[in-house]
Amino acid sequence: MNLPRPLRTTLVPALLTATALVALTACGTSGSESAGQVSGSRSTVSVRIPDPGNSGVLALGKKDGSLAAALSAVGAKVQWTGSAGPFAPAAQAMNAGQLDIATGSITSGITSLAQRPGFKFFTAVAPDAAGEGILVRNGSGIASVADLVGKKVAVNQGGTGEYLLLKALAKAGIPADKVTRVYLRPDQTAAVFNAGKVDAWAVWATYAVAEIGSGKAHFVADGAAIGSDNYSLNAVRTDFAEQHPKVVKALYQYLHEASAKEKRNPAAYLNVFTDVGPTAVTGKAEQVQREFTAKGGTVEPIGPRDIARFKDVAAFYAEQKVTRTEVDVAAHLLDVGKLT
């Protein structure tokens, strides 16, 4: 469900294509270069973050200079690297020392943590009760989760989509094998969904907004109805956090304050650079996005209650055989309150 909520990333299977990694890291530098670049007599830490695009707190922070000012206060600057996208390739880029910060869901995070992670999560945004769920076309005849039996549902493997579908089925007491999961990349699913080649789409706000805004689709069950524990998390490369804890803490503080402002005034964080073209959110979709953002959470430290819910997701994934064993999420978390 990039770094707060309009920036929630799209999620795909943990298998990384060479094309995806090149796109993500095309503007990147080596791990040693991120530690600091000498400018005159002082060293400035470069923080490599995927470009935020046209919406969200990082987009506005990039445009108005507020993010640069916040990081400058701790001797750091942003190096925009590639573009925000799936967490799985971002996780591998962090593991390879080619990226410092990324955003993803706890669901995609768990599958990535099972791969020898070189990153830790340091913030959490509460599950999106309104903006994620099981999407169906208007007039499909699907009026409840029970109506999905015998149907085909598009999901992204190991990420938010697969989690939402499995969670919805479990809550309704429906065996998972009664519904056919069609594994698709989220950015390729809209055409398949609208062509009727799948009956439903388990999806989050990044993609649901356009479909709901078109007036042709709706959630048969949203995150609240499903009982989703699908947090959005910000991750940091482990070595970077160990070398530059003040920078990580400053970034958290910026995101925390900016996400609260975004929640109060969602419109200011949409169409930051342009209100036309493919990156713009317009018409009914803009209204839908504003409503989702206003109902959403803010960037917060990870606390004991969050960790308990992460554990529940990890246990559920193991139970559903999405992962081979239960992943120990707690071992890969940072307490930003203790960073100095």
Side-chain angles (χ1 to χ4, degrees):
M1 314 226 217
N2 316 261
L3 288 156
R5 221 167 40 78
L7 283 178
R8 294 182 79 178
T9 61
T10 58
L11 309 173
V12 295
L15 294 178
L16 172 65
T17 66
T19 301
L21 184 57
V22 169
L24 182 69
T25 62
C27 300
T29 59
S30 69
S32 61
E33 288 176 309
S34 73
Q37 296 180 347
V38 176
S39 176
S41 60
R42 58 177 295 187
S43 178
T44 301
V45 177
S46 290
V47 189
R48 294 166 300 177
I49 304 175
D51 190 275
N54 194 34
S55 297
V57 301
L58 289 184
L60 187 59
K62 178 182 179 181
K63 182 178 181 180
D64 66 15
S66 58
L67 177 60
L71 291 177
S72 178
V74 290
K77 66 177 182 180
V78 175
Q79 181 179 334
W80 301 113
T81 304
S83 57
F87 184 70
Q92 292 202 16
M94 286 188 288
N95 293 345
Q98 297 169 327
L99 188 68
D100 300 315
I101 301 292
T103 303
S105 69
I106 182 59
T107 48
S108 184
I110 285 171
T111 53
S112 295
L113 285 174
Q115 311 292 320
R116 290 190 176 181
F119 61 89
K120 292 188 176 182
F121 294 111
F122 68 104
T123 75
V125 178
D128 188 357
E132 64 180 15
I134 312 297
L135 197 70
V136 298
R137 294 181 300 280
N138 295 347
S140 68
I142 299 174
S144 69
V145 173
D147 293 332
L148 294 174
V149 172
K151 300 293 195 298
K152 294 186 290 186
V153 182
V155 303
N156 58 304
Q157 188 174 16
T160 291
E162 187 162 30
Y163 169 78
L164 291 172
L165 175 61
L166 292 173
K167 187 76 172 177
L169 294 175
K171 186 172 183 180
I174 299 169
D177 61 4
K178 297 296 183 182
V179 175
T180 300
R181 280 169 268 176
V182 179
Y183 293 126
L184 292 170
R185 277 176 39 185
D187 59 351
Q188 296 178 337
T189 305
V192 177
F193 173 73
N194 287 305
K197 294 180 180 179
V198 293
D199 301 292
W201 182 6
V203 67
W204 58 103
T206 302
Y207 299 98
V209 164
E211 301 304 321
I212 296 172
S214 73
K216 299 178 181 180
H218 65 279
F219 283 137
V220 71
D222 60 15
I226 292 170
S228 172
D229 282 323
N230 188 38
Y231 281 76
S232 177
L233 308 176
N234 291 316
V236 58
R237 186 167 58 85
T238 303
D239 287 348
F240 185 92
E242 291 174 352
Q243 294 167 16
H244 310 292
K246 290 183 179 179
V247 176
V248 178
K249 190 166 187 175
L251 182 59
Y252 156 72
Q253 192 62 42
Y254 179 85
L255 294 172
H256 171 71
E257 294 173 0
S259 64
K261 294 176 183 177
E262 180 189 34
K263 183 177 172 68
R264 292 193 297 268
N265 182 20
Y269 295 82
L270 289 174
N271 303 325
V272 172
F273 292 99
T274 179
D275 58 5
V276 296
T279 64
V281 184
T282 59
K284 178 68 180 300
E286 183 175 2
Q287 178 185 339
V288 171
Q289 181 64 76
R290 290 183 188 184
E291 291 173 356
F292 285 169
T293 302
K295 294 176 182 178
T298 56
V299 175
E300 303 293 340
I302 298 171
R305 291 184 180 180
D306 305 320
I307 296 172
R309 293 175 74 178
F310 297 169
K311 182 175 176 58
D312 287 344
V313 177
F316 181 73
Y317 258 25
E319 176 188 325
Q320 295 291 325
K321 303 189 186 312
V322 176
T323 57
R324 293 181 180 180
T325 60
E326 182 177 332
V327 175
D328 183 8
V329 181
H332 304 283
L333 304 177
L334 283 182
D335 185 344
V336 292
K338 295 181 179 179
L339 296 179
T340 57

